[in-house]
Amino acid sequence: MKWINSSSMKESLEIIDKKVAHLLQQFQVGGESKLIQWFLTDDMNFVTITAERYIIDYLKTKNSNIEDNLRKEGIDAILRLGDEKVGIEVTTLNGFFAEWILIERLSEMLNSKKVIDDKTLRVTYNYERIMRETQQNRMHQYLENMSTAIAAGDYETLKTLEVSIEIERRWSGVISWDRSNADNFPWFRYLTDDLFTKLSDVSKKRQLMSYEKNIIFIGVNHIAPSNWAIPSIFEEIGHGGASYSVQINGIESFWYKIMQNCHYIKGICFFCISIDKDVPFYPLRVLWSDEKEILPINL
């Protein structure tokens, strides 16, 4: 209810409502199952389908020759170039969506317990621990234990949960977040080897190879905790710049080599969304397998 009253909620609901209306209009060709998968399954599907719907709808506003594929099987969308069909696949890197669950739900728990009505709270957590709790479906109980320990000032329990807190009296109702060892998170591996493994899955590979050419859009909202490179590197990929040229060159070199061997992948594009905006957070830029054979798609 607090989120509903926030300043950005009206814009978010209006945008989501339009996407839901579109799926309802496509009820007989997969819209129903897509809605169920989006809103009535679990956290992972929610963040995955949200990214998919936002980027495909955005691309459709820029390209009248893009068509949705809402069925459970097959590529996510098709780009028609005359008689040729180019596959558009959306994949999300959700290696760290546990942080989103932590921040959203712990904030509400602490608000409901009136823990931060008169104080500022700084919460430091272990990113590996919250990933493990999420993967093992124990996150809700973990957060309940954490909020109870914070409310009681039970520092011994917080230590077992690998959480530490600091209390200040400068502002009321504010929580700041910090992560231990965030710079050690293997974000580069997630963008390269791990992503390639995901795209090499038997069913995914068969899906992609149904088309001679494919462009893959990679959602990176929940790829890693904020650190020295994330999310600045994605802004620089879209805008240009020299601060992260070594890392960007490494990513580009990796995918260039992969696309030379996987001829059905013609382009890779990273994107980040905000649910209160119709457009991606950063400008889009496709890494092409061959700069002389760029496919005509408006970004």
Side-chain angles (χ1 to χ4, degrees):
M1 294 304 297
K2 183 179 180 182
W3 187 35
I4 288 174
N5 292 323
S6 67
S7 58
S8 64
M9 189 57 174
K10 182 174 183 293
E11 291 85 355
S12 300
L13 286 176
E14 287 176 349
I15 292 172
I16 290 174
D17 189 55
K18 288 189 293 185
K19 300 183 186 309
V20 169
H22 168 68
L23 293 177
L24 289 173
Q25 291 168 1
Q26 306 297 318
F27 213 64
Q28 303 301 321
V29 290
E32 178 185 14
S33 61
K34 186 69 70 173
L35 278 170
I36 291 171
Q37 186 184 12
W38 191 1
F39 294 114
L40 298 177
T41 51
D42 55 26
D43 293 318
M44 181 68 80
N45 272 309
F46 177 76
V47 297
T48 299
I49 303 301
T50 298
E52 173 194 305
R53 298 321 311 158
Y54 268 69
I55 194 65
I56 289 177
D57 286 351
Y58 168 75
L59 291 171
K60 285 169 64 179
T61 66
K62 297 285 187 178
N63 303 270
S64 60
N65 55 339
I66 288 182
E67 301 173 2
D68 254 323
N69 175 25
L70 299 175
R71 301 201 178 275
K72 290 183 179 180
E73 300 296 328
I75 211 84
D76 292 315
I78 297 168
L79 173 68
R80 290 188 178 273
L81 301 175
D83 295 330
E84 184 180 25
K85 293 181 181 180
V86 175
I88 293 179
E89 178 66 14
V90 181
T91 298
T92 55
L93 296 176
N94 291 322
F96 204 62
F97 87 108
E99 182 181 56
W100 168 68
I101 297 173
L102 170 77
I103 291 173
E104 292 292 335
R105 295 184 187 165
L106 184 62
S107 297
E108 291 308 310
M109 289 176 174
L110 295 179
N111 272 302
S112 68
K113 296 176 189 294
K114 302 187 183 302
V115 171
I116 58 172
D117 285 359
D118 61 345
K119 64 178 71 71
T120 301
L121 186 67
R122 183 177 186 84
V123 178
T124 301
Y125 60 87
N126 184 316
Y127 77 80
E128 293 175 312
R129 177 67 181 271
I130 67 168
M131 286 177 65
R132 188 164 63 248
E133 297 293 341
T134 301
Q135 291 164 355
Q136 297 177 1
N137 296 316
R138 300 192 309 234
M139 191 62 166
H140 181 78
Q141 187 59 53
Y142 178 74
L143 293 176
E144 187 62 50
N145 295 342
M146 191 191 302
S147 66
T148 300
I150 291 173
D154 184 350
Y155 290 93
E156 286 302 314
T157 296
L158 288 174
K159 187 176 180 180
T160 67
L161 298 172
E162 299 180 72
V163 173
S164 63
I165 61 171
E166 298 175 39
I167 296 174
E168 297 179 349
R169 303 286 174 180
R170 290 187 293 172
W171 300 286
S172 297
V174 176
I175 305 175
S176 63
W177 308 90
D178 199 6
R179 313 135 191 98
S180 55
N181 299 319
D183 286 348
N184 294 331
F185 192 89
W187 60 268
F188 187 85
R189 192 193 76 208
Y190 273 50
L191 289 173
T192 52
D193 295 284
D194 285 6
L195 175 55
F196 178 59
T197 298
K198 187 173 183 178
L199 296 176
S200 301
D201 174 79
V202 174
S203 60
K204 180 72 73 175
K205 187 174 181 180
R206 185 187 307 118
Q207 185 174 292
L208 291 170
M209 292 184 70
S210 299
Y211 297 86
E212 186 178 340
K213 300 176 182 178
N214 295 273
I215 306 172
I216 302 175
F217 289 83
I218 312 295
V220 294
N221 276 63
H222 305 290
I223 183 177
S226 297
N227 56 35
W228 59 272
I230 306 296
S232 301
I233 193 168
F234 300 110
E235 182 177 16
E236 195 161 299
I237 286 174
H239 280 298
S243 300
Y244 299 96
S245 58
V246 173
Q247 292 78 18
I248 293 173
N249 287 340
I251 293 168
E252 291 180 343
S253 297
F254 176 90
W255 284 109
Y256 179 76
K257 291 177 183 177
I258 292 297
M259 289 188 286
Q260 303 314 300
N261 294 321
C262 301
H263 299 293
Y264 51 90
I265 301 177
K266 297 300 180 183
I268 294 279
C269 181
F270 300 108
F271 72 91
C272 184
I273 62 164
S274 178
I275 63 171
D276 61 341
K277 293 181 174 60
D278 274 319
V279 299
F281 205 78
Y282 304 118
L284 299 183
R285 175 179 159 235
V286 178
L287 310 178
W288 297 104
S289 61
D290 188 341
E291 291 293 333
K292 297 178 181 178
E293 296 183 14
I294 294 176
L295 297 173
I297 182 171
N298 297 319
L299 302 175

